[in-house]
Amino acid sequence: MHEASGQDFSRKFCGLGQPPAPARLGTRFDETGAFLPEPGNTVVSHVVPGSDTERAMIRVRDRLRALDPGGHFAWTPVSSYHMTIFQGVIEGRRLPGYWPADLPLDAPIAETTDHLAARLQAFPPIEPFRVRLDQITPHGLTVSGATPADEAIIRGFRDEIAGRFGYRHPDHDTYVLHLTLSYTVRWLPRGSHELYLPALRELTRSFQAEVPVIELGPADFCAFEDMNHFEPVLRLT
């Protein structure tokens, strides 16, 4: 994973060349950073509670918050920390390619959850896999398989789920695995990269030294009402 340049940072976090308001403002969260109802489902592995990984993520969150006294981000609760393995459906994205092909686009979210859970019954055993940190960003952690073999297991897992769900996102093969800490509520001021990039480099180095392998629980198919909580429906690993 290459380190972000000042221009990359400004485009993603300062709104360079972007619409006036960040994506998901008014649908996922409001201007105060409070999460709004946005029901859906997903396949995730939660961070092990009380683990070195959770403690390190809390320290990263606290450092990132200290860099932003202006409150430009909405912060997810510690209990929700997870790595997304495969995105299910979500209320604000009823589109072909993001929705089961054999369900109407106006099907209730609860109906799609039941439908997908049924398709995941008797899921084939998946080999254990490990992930490691690639980079800390203002939004959290980008990660990948700890070894090429781990990465292949995860990608194969995603392929199997896509087949059962009946859709394959346009970015399926390039999807960046991640653990979210925050979302942008308001764009950072231009020039913020000068403050953030050195801090992000140091946070990345210290996290990698402290947590060489990220401690994740089993993969679960989960339902959610917003970004505060992901309730397991079916265990997959």
Side-chain angles (χ1 to χ4, degrees):
M1 185 71 64
H2 75 280
E3 183 178 296
S5 67
Q7 186 173 44
D8 291 338
F9 184 96
S10 296
R11 183 178 302 111
K12 187 164 186 179
F13 301 106
C14 304
L16 181 64
Q18 301 293 332
R24 304 188 180 99
L25 178 62
T27 56
R28 181 160 296 182
F29 45 80
D30 65 20
E31 293 180 350
T32 72
F35 288 107
L36 300 171
E38 191 186 25
N41 49 60
T42 185
V43 177
V44 307
S45 287
H46 280 92
V47 172
V48 175
S51 62
D52 289 343
T53 299
E54 184 183 77
R55 287 188 287 270
M57 289 179 68
I58 291 170
R59 286 193 287 274
V60 168
R61 178 206 61 187
D62 290 347
R63 175 67 176 128
L64 292 174
R65 275 179 164 170
L67 291 172
D68 178 38
H72 290 82
F73 298 97
W75 298 92
T76 58
V78 172
S79 60
S80 76
Y81 288 173
H82 65 271
M83 183 186 80
T84 302
I85 297 171
F86 192 89
Q87 297 165 296
V89 304
I90 194 164
E91 181 60 48
R93 191 171 57 196
R94 294 171 174 271
L95 299 167
Y98 298 90
W99 201 266
D102 53 349
L103 280 183
L105 291 175
D106 60 355
I109 294 294
E111 181 181 323
T112 71
T113 298
D114 292 343
H115 177 81
L116 295 177
R119 286 184 156 234
L120 292 173
Q121 295 293 334
F123 198 85
I126 298 295
E127 293 181 66
F129 60 83
R130 302 174 303 156
V131 300
R132 58 174 174 80
L133 174 70
D134 288 328
Q135 195 170 35
I136 301 287
T137 81
H139 286 166
L141 289 62
T142 61
V143 303
S144 60
T147 68
D150 290 311
E151 184 74 10
I153 292 169
I154 297 167
R155 297 297 166 176
F157 192 5
R158 285 174 47 77
D159 288 344
E160 179 69 25
I161 297 170
R164 287 175 177 247
F165 278 15
Y167 61 84
R168 189 180 179 95
H169 291 185
D171 68 346
H172 180 85
D173 293 325
T174 58
Y175 181 78
V176 177
L177 299 166
H178 61 277
L179 292 86
T180 298
L181 294 176
S182 74
Y183 297 92
T184 301
V185 174
R186 296 190 310 281
W187 297 121
L188 287 169
R190 300 294 170 87
S192 292
H193 66 279
E194 295 181 2
L195 172 66
Y196 271 86
L197 291 182
L200 295 172
R201 285 193 291 269
E202 178 53 36
L203 284 169
T204 298
R205 284 193 295 266
S206 61
F207 191 103
Q208 288 171 333
E210 183 178 352
V211 184
V213 174
I214 292 173
E215 296 153 290
L216 297 173
D220 291 321
F221 176 56
C222 295
F224 57 88
E225 294 299 322
D226 55 30
M227 296 297 110
N228 287 305
H229 178 71
F230 299 82
E231 181 66 25
V233 173
L234 183 68
R235 180 139 296 172
L236 301 181
T237 63

